[in-house]
Amino acid sequence: TTGCAFVMWLGEQITERGIGNGISLIIFAGIVVGLPGAIVSTVDSVRAGSLSPIAVLILVVFMIAVIGFIVYMERAQRRIPVQYAKRVVGRKVYGGQNTYLPLRVNTGGVIPVIFASSVVTLPSAIAGLFQNEWLQAIAQALSWGQPLHYLLYVVAIIFFCYFYVSIIFNPADTADNLRKYGGFIPGIRTGKRTSEYIDKILTRLTLVGAVYLAAVSVLPEFLLSGLKVDGLPVIGASLDANLPNWFT
């Protein structure tokens, strides 16, 4: 408990100093620290003949493709055009500019994946505390590699994507802020209609982001014969980090 509290405090300190999302960077460090060992293990497998050089080449190409896909999706945005009406205050004219409201495809980042993995592993943790055949059977059915595990994992990722987005983004508040500052979406009435329009787009974007997260988290298990690829937390934390500004 003390160790968890200390790690949470470190994450808060990293976030407060503007380096990036502190918890994500700590997870990033925990994954990257195992990268040299994984490379050495792969080289040893090639030398021992258990892994062919062609398989390694395919693995490298696939990992590069996954990295490119993750970077593309993490930077993807749906830009809603916004116009501001002109206001005359004294001799000055304010507003009258065209801008956009950016909505990320993956608004939740890696948080839904972390929550989903915690929920899926919870039955196994509970079954380990009790010697019960019924609980042991449930834990076995939900263990890693079982079809029910992947199904529950995907459903949990989609659920937590919508749940997290609903917490951090409120379309009604965004619509009210646009109306207060004289902004409006062309062709959409201000107020409730604007809120409904933003919510509709955000719902569709969240579905795309949820499917993307589920695919990146689950498909490598089948394509790489059980080799787990944790590229999403690493790349997501790297893109969100703000190291140059922190150093200056």
Side-chain angles (χ1 to χ4, degrees), residues 9-89:
W9 177 81
L10 285 179
E12 292 176 357
Q13 297 303 312
I14 294 173
T15 304
E16 289 180 0
R17 282 159 176 75
I19 302 175
N21 191 325
I23 299 299
S24 297
L25 287 177
I26 292 176
I27 297 174
F28 161 84
I31 296 174
V32 171
V33 74
L35 184 60
I39 295 176
V40 173
S41 177
T42 303
V43 173
D44 292 339
S45 299
V46 174
R47 291 178 178 177
S50 59
L51 190 64
S52 65
I54 298 179
V56 175
L57 180 61
I58 295 175
L59 174 63
V60 171
V61 172
F62 178 77
M63 291 180 67
I64 293 175
V66 169
I67 291 173
F69 177 68
I70 292 176
V71 172
Y72 176 78
M73 292 300 294
E74 289 295 319
R75 292 303 188 191
Q77 294 180 345
R78 169 68 162 87
R79 297 182 175 182
I80 301 177
V82 176
Q83 294 181 359
Y84 286 91
K86 293 183 179 180
R87 295 181 302 163
V88 179
V89 180

Side-chain angles (χ1 to χ4, degrees), residues 146-225:
Q146 298 298 323
L148 188 58
H149 169 87
Y150 291 118
L151 177 61
L152 183 60
Y153 191 38
V154 171
V155 172
I157 289 176
I158 296 175
F159 169 77
F160 282 114
C161 278
Y162 281 96
F163 177 75
Y164 189 74
V165 170
S166 66
I167 293 177
I168 65 175
F169 192 92
N170 191 338
D173 291 343
T174 304
D176 289 340
N177 291 331
L178 287 176
R179 182 173 54 83
K180 288 178 182 178
Y181 292 99
F184 62 94
I185 299 175
I188 306 297
R189 282 187 176 183
T190 58
K192 184 178 179 181
R193 290 292 182 89
T194 299
S195 176
E196 293 175 349
Y197 178 75
I198 295 175
D199 183 67
K200 180 180 179 181
I201 294 179
L202 189 62
T203 300
R204 296 179 178 179
L205 284 179
T206 304
L207 178 60
V208 175
V211 173
Y212 145 71
L213 286 178
V216 172
S217 302
V218 174
L219 287 181
E221 298 289 337
F222 301 98
L223 298 179
L224 299 179
S225 303

Side-chain angles (χ1 to χ4, degrees), residues 229-244:
V229 178
D230 291 321
L232 181 61
V234 173
I235 299 172
S238 301
L239 294 176
D240 293 336
N242 197 19
L243 295 179

